């Protein structure tokens, strides 16, 4: 019922921008996580099913924007002012929910995950 397909990763210079996309079907709350080599997966951003509620990790607040277009079954992560510490594999996550306004910030709340897309920021 739920399929996640990620795209948009790549190599970018510090200060540049990238937009990640996640094709997601179903009534889902969505989130973005990232994992750098040798480190634990960390929360980046989350958005409710309705798109009306969002939440960001402090490290990306003001630089990243999560949004969704349910008509297109797509969630986005617009990443601006990228820093070298943003380098990681970024994962799209989803959980089926009937709640329209809730967001989830921990990985255990999500049931479905994308394959991940590499984001590399060079300085």
């Amino acid at each position: 019922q739920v399929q996640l397909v990620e795209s948009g990763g790549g190599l970018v210079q510090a200060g540049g921008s990238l937009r990640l996309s996640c094709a997601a079907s179903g009534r889902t709350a969505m989130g973005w996580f990232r994992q750098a080599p040798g480190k634990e997966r960390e929360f980046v951003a989350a958005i409710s099913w309705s798109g009306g509620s969002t939440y960001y990790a402090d490290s990306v607040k003001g630089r990243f924007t999560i949004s969704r277009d349910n008509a297109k079954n797509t969630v986005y992560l617009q990443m601006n002012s990228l820093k070298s510490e943003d380098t990681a594999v970024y994962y799209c996550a989803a959980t089926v929910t009937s709640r329209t306004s809730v967001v989830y910030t921990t990985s255990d709340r999500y049931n479905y995950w994308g394959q991940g897309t590499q984001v590399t920021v060079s300085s």
Side-chain angles (χ1 to χ4, degrees):
Q1 293 290 330
V2 178
Q3 296 182 350
L4 302 182
V5 181
E6 299 163 329
S7 63
L11 175 65
V12 66
Q13 290 186 300
S17 299
L18 284 174
R19 187 179 71 169
L20 306 184
S21 299
C22 178
S25 299
R27 185 183 300 171
T28 54
M30 305 290 296
W32 287 96
F33 293 77
R34 67 187 183 186
Q35 187 169 24
K39 297 182 179 180
E40 294 293 317
R41 185 172 298 182
E42 66 174 341
F43 168 77
V44 176
I47 189 167
S48 63
W49 171 37
S50 69
S53 299
T54 59
Y55 195 82
Y56 300 90
D58 288 342
S59 60
V60 305
K61 192 174 298 182
R63 298 188 298 120
F64 291 10
T65 302
I66 188 170
S67 62
R68 70 189 302 163
D69 185 342
N70 287 351
K72 298 180 179 179
N73 294 316
T74 303
V75 64
Y76 304 96
L77 184 67
Q78 178 66 46
M79 305 184 294
N80 298 326
S81 301
L82 283 162
K83 306 173 182 179
S84 59
E85 54 261 43
D86 295 318
T87 295
V89 176
Y90 283 71
Y91 297 91
C92 178
T95 186
V96 177
T97 182
S98 61
R99 300 179 183 273
T100 60
S101 61
V102 297
V103 296
Y104 303 101
T105 61
T106 57
S107 60
D108 62 293
R109 303 295 292 184
Y110 292 92
N111 304 112
Y112 302 93
W113 295 83
Q115 295 296 310
T117 184
Q118 177 71 47
V119 172
T120 302
V121 183
S122 62
S123 59

